[in-house]
Amino acid sequence: MTDAATRPAAAQTPASLAALASSSYELIVAEQHASGAYPASPTFSAYAGYSWFRDGAFTADAVSAYGGVESAGRFFDWCAGVLQARSASIERIVQRAGAGNPVPDAEMLATRFALDGTEGTDDWWDFQLDGYGTWLWALAEHAERHGVDTERWQVAVELSVDYLLSSWRRSCFDWWEEHASEVHVSTLGCIAAGLRAVSRSGLVGGERRAGADAAVAAILDLIEREGTSDGHLAKWLGSAEVDASLLAVISPLGVVDARSELGRRTVAAVDEQLNADGGVHRYLADTFYGGGQWPLLSCFLGLARLAGGDRAGALDALEWAASTAADDGQLPEQVGRHLLAPDRTAEWVDRWGEVASPLLWSHAMYLRLAVDLGVVAPLGAEGDR
Ligand code: BGC
């Protein structure tokens, strides 16, 4: 079998790009668990059996954008179930934060859950806040896009908003499950996107809505004062580095306008520092599996470029992501064509086996960019599953 890690980017045709988008959707819905959870990677040792709010929310968003109304709704049902089952913990977290005596990190909500919505038995790098914002954002977008009734998610939305309002200032692990003592700008962006979306769409009202609006304003102010460096968004408050997760804050989350100075300089900084021949690294000091290039991040770069009016650049990013597909069409988490720390690959292979593939989030970001580029036509109502 051809090794996608070493294979050079092959020329793609419009038909092959579209086919990978529709097969990505098919793979995602085929892997969706009966509970509604999207497994991060059904076969990878460390991820099998678990669903992340972060991966899952971006996956539901892509599925929704493609027209998979029912599948996306079932993921939101799973999220709602997870949250409602923890309403007592959330009330306690909110109450303790309000009393100036916040609970320790270990008592905050988990980052990932077993497919049946329980905690699972394996240790993980909990806690992370971004997914609780991203699911709100994806849900509000979905509701608006398809005009769906949100009644059944109302309680879970309110729990999420209360949780985020009580705790958004806390440091936590970032998208990459690292640097727990920092406040990460992409995490803040995900939270702001979620709170803004539920306020705008009227999913919350009254005091909760006023609280969400105030928090969004405070987050944007904090990012402006402490979350930028040299005119671009920074990896965490006070950092001078960039991280490719910041692209999401521009698109699809839309918290920073792609055409603003800050948006343009962030895309330019990621492009200059983290993009090697179309493949995007997470951040310069990355050593995970040797610090390779992530197709899902090339797709985030494509989305940010597209939002800034650079359609040709966005298509290049999609083509690069397509070039990482194995012969069976599966997209991996990362490829090793260009490694930042080649001597650190083996330790991860020894620990967890070969790089995760398929990674549903990679397929999702590919699908989302392909839809936005018009490379694939969304499903008609009759094609929905
Ligand atoms: C990544 C996370 C991701 C998880 C599941 C980890 O290696 O750092 O961002 O949520 O895998 O895909």
Side-chain angles (χ1 to χ4, degrees):
M1 193 161 113
T2 317
D3 180 1
T6 50
R7 182 170 56 198
Q12 308 286 335
T13 65
S16 70
L17 293 174
L20 183 57
S22 46
S23 66
S24 289
Y25 171 77
E26 295 298 336
L27 185 147
I28 290 167
V29 295
E31 293 297 344
Q32 185 170 23
H33 190 254
S35 63
Y38 293 121
S41 175
T43 48
F44 183 63
S45 62
Y47 305 168
Y50 287 91
S51 180
W52 274 248
F53 267 57
R54 170 178 45 256
D55 300 39
F58 282 118
T59 301
D61 173 67
V63 164
S64 168
Y66 185 61
V69 183
E70 199 249 321
S71 169
R74 290 204 298 117
F75 176 72
F76 299 133
D77 290 343
W78 179 81
C79 295
V82 165
L83 284 152
Q84 282 174 240
R86 288 161 184 79
S87 60
S89 313
I90 296 173
E91 276 160 28
R92 190 167 154 273
I93 289 164
V94 171
Q95 183 270 323
R96 287 270 302 264
N101 179 26
V103 302
D105 288 2
E107 291 171 35
M108 296 295 283
L109 296 181
T111 299
R112 63 177 201 169
F113 298 88
L115 303 181
D116 65 2
T118 61
E119 306 276 319
T121 49
D122 306 288
D123 280 345
W124 200 254
W125 291 273
D126 300 313
F127 89 102
Q128 301 169 28
L129 286 166
D130 60 280
Y132 295 96
T134 310
W135 100 276
L136 290 177
W137 165 81
L139 172 63
E141 292 279 302
H142 174 69
E144 191 179 329
R145 188 182 286 127
H146 298 293
V148 295
D149 182 4
T150 55
E151 177 72 34
R152 70 188 203 264
W153 299 305
Q154 193 60 41
V155 172
V157 166
E158 291 175 2
L159 286 168
S160 302
V161 169
D162 294 350
Y163 179 67
L164 291 173
L165 292 183
S166 74
S167 304
W168 68 264
R169 292 173 194 273
R170 290 180 70 134
S171 58
C172 66
F173 287 103
D174 62 10
W175 272 31
W176 316 129
E177 314 184 297
E178 297 173 339
H179 306 291
S181 58
E182 306 294 346
V183 175
H184 300 278
V185 174
S186 54
T187 298
L188 290 174
C190 293
I191 298 170
L195 293 175
R196 191 177 64 171
V198 292
S199 169
R200 273 191 189 163
S201 62
L203 271 161
V204 289
E207 271 182 37
R208 228 180 232 112
R209 186 179 198 173
D213 292 343
V216 171
I219 290 170
L220 295 181
D221 179 60
L222 183 61
I223 291 176
E224 193 181 316
R225 283 185 293 106
E226 297 178 37
T228 66
S229 170
D230 198 22
H232 60 72
L233 292 172
K235 186 167 165 65
W236 59 69
L237 298 183
S239 160
E241 311 296 319
V242 276
D243 187 290
S245 62
L246 294 165
L247 294 166
V249 182
I250 298 166
S251 183
L253 300 175
V255 170
V256 168
D257 186 341
R259 294 176 195 262
S260 67
E261 183 70 8
L262 182 58
R264 280 206 308 272
R265 288 178 75 150
T266 301
V267 175
V270 171
D271 225 340
E272 271 166 41
Q273 297 181 39
L274 301 177
N275 176 9
D277 301 324
V280 177
H281 295 283
R282 300 194 298 180
Y283 59 98
L284 278 179
D286 192 9
T287 59
F288 183 52
Y289 279 90
Q293 296 158 297
W294 288 49
L296 72 90
L297 292 177
S298 293
C299 293
F300 274 112
L301 178 61
L303 287 166
R305 284 176 173 168
L306 191 60
D310 177 10
R311 197 190 142 75
L315 191 56
D316 286 348
L318 187 82
E319 287 179 351
W320 188 91
S323 79
T324 70
D327 290 346
D328 59 5
Q330 295 190 354
L331 291 170
E333 182 177 64
Q334 59 172 289
V335 291
R337 290 177 197 162
H338 182 271
L339 294 168
L340 295 169
D343 55 332
R344 303 293 301 276
T345 305
E347 69 194 68
W348 284 100
V349 177
D350 291 348
R351 183 171 169 189
W352 281 355
E354 295 299 329
V355 166
S357 184
L359 188 86
L360 266 65
W361 191 12
S362 298
H363 284 279
M365 297 321 301
Y366 180 86
L367 178 60
R368 176 67 208 255
L369 179 57
V371 168
D372 281 15
L373 274 166
V375 158
V376 67
L379 296 171
E382 72 285 0
D384 188 23
R385 331 237 319 202

